[in-house]
Amino acid sequence: PVAASVFSGDKATLRIHLLLQNIASIALDPYAGQRIVIKGCGEQPIPEAAYITITNRLRPVARSIMYGEPCSTVPVYKQKTNKGNAS
């Protein structure tokens, strides 16, 4: 009843654990149908697991996912479109 959560490991492992936990709690509605650029550079190094997790999390709702900076992005995922299938 005192601790919000319990974790065992070093600081680096805790940081990754908390980052992945935060990614899991992101609301997906604001990203539905959007083109998303996930920033690739910054002051803090981002673990590879975070990029994989955010991609898996956003892929079902995003129109496209790219990594990098807005001036030089690398496409990672693009939603398929059904061209020519008018009903």
Side-chain angles (χ1 to χ4, degrees), residues 26-63:
I26 292 173
L28 298 179
D29 292 341
Y31 303 102
Q34 299 296 314
R35 291 182 175 112
I36 301 167
V37 176
I38 299 171
K39 187 173 178 173
C41 302
E43 292 179 21
Q44 296 289 329
I46 305 297
E48 187 177 299
Y51 289 110
I52 293 168
T53 302
I54 194 68
T55 300
N56 282 332
R57 183 110 168 93
L58 291 171
R59 194 174 45 81
V61 298
R63 184 173 175 183

Side-chain angles (χ1 to χ4, degrees), residues 5-24 39-51 53:
S5 66
V6 178
F7 178 81
S8 176
D10 60 11
K11 282 185 182 182
T13 307
L14 173 61
R15 183 173 180 268
I16 293 169
H17 173 77
L18 293 174
L19 182 58
L20 297 180
Q21 207 172 37
N22 286 335
I23 290 170
K39 187 173 178 173
C41 302
E43 292 179 21
Q44 296 289 329
I46 305 297
E48 187 177 299
Y51 289 110
T53 302

